[in-house]
């Protein structure tokens, strides 16, 4: 029972971290587009600072995920294995309800 709870907690941590990473990536894209469309230097400078903050956050989340074994950006085969395992666990969890 304990190992089953641990697996669910790891899966939840991984899902939360992945969602957070995707959000950071989307923020980076949105800030970059907004900078290109901004009309004044003041707005552009503010958006650049937010962009830099989002890049730093993305790096921190990525490093957390790498350290936990959730993310393997330099090893596509390993990342595919981790992603398939997470997808299978998510399907099993949803079918158990």
């Amino acid at each position: 029972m304990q190992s089953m709870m641990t697996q669910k907690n790891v899966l939840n941590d991984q899902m939360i971290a992945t969602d957070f990473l995707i959000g950071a990536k989307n923020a980076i894209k949105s800030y970059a587009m907004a900078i290109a469309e901004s009309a004044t230097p003041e707005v552009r400078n503010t958006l650049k600072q937010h962009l830099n903050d989002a890049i730093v956050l993305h790096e921190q989340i990525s490093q957390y995920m790498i350290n936990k074994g959730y993310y393997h950006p330099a090893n596509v085969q390993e990342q595919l294995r981790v992603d398939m395992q997470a997808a299978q666990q998510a399907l099993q969890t949803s079918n158990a309800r």
Side-chain angles (χ1 to χ4, degrees):
M1 182 74 166
Q2 180 63 26
S3 72
M4 190 168 154
M5 284 298 290
T6 303
Q7 276 187 335
K8 287 182 182 181
N9 290 341
V10 168
L11 177 62
N12 288 337
D13 290 348
Q14 183 176 0
M15 289 172 54
I16 292 166
T18 300
D19 191 51
F20 199 21
L21 184 67
I22 291 168
K25 287 180 185 182
N26 287 331
I28 291 167
K29 291 176 191 177
S30 295
Y31 285 127
M33 288 181 3
I35 290 166
E37 300 294 327
S38 61
T40 68
E42 295 82 14
V43 170
R44 213 173 0 268
N45 288 334
T46 299
L47 291 171
K48 285 179 185 178
Q49 183 56 54
H50 287 294
L51 173 61
N52 288 334
D53 293 345
I55 292 169
V56 169
L57 179 62
H58 180 275
E59 182 179 355
Q60 291 171 338
I61 299 164
S62 295
Q63 195 56 54
Y64 168 82
M65 292 181 70
I66 290 167
N67 292 343
K68 290 289 191 174
Y70 303 152
Y71 188 44
H72 304 274
N75 186 339
V76 176
Q77 289 298 90
E78 181 61 17
Q79 187 59 48
L80 181 59
R81 186 193 68 74
V82 169
D83 290 347
M84 291 298 292
Q85 182 180 17
Q88 289 172 348
Q89 288 175 345
L91 287 172
Q92 289 173 355
T93 300
S94 68
N95 289 336
R97 292 180 182 181

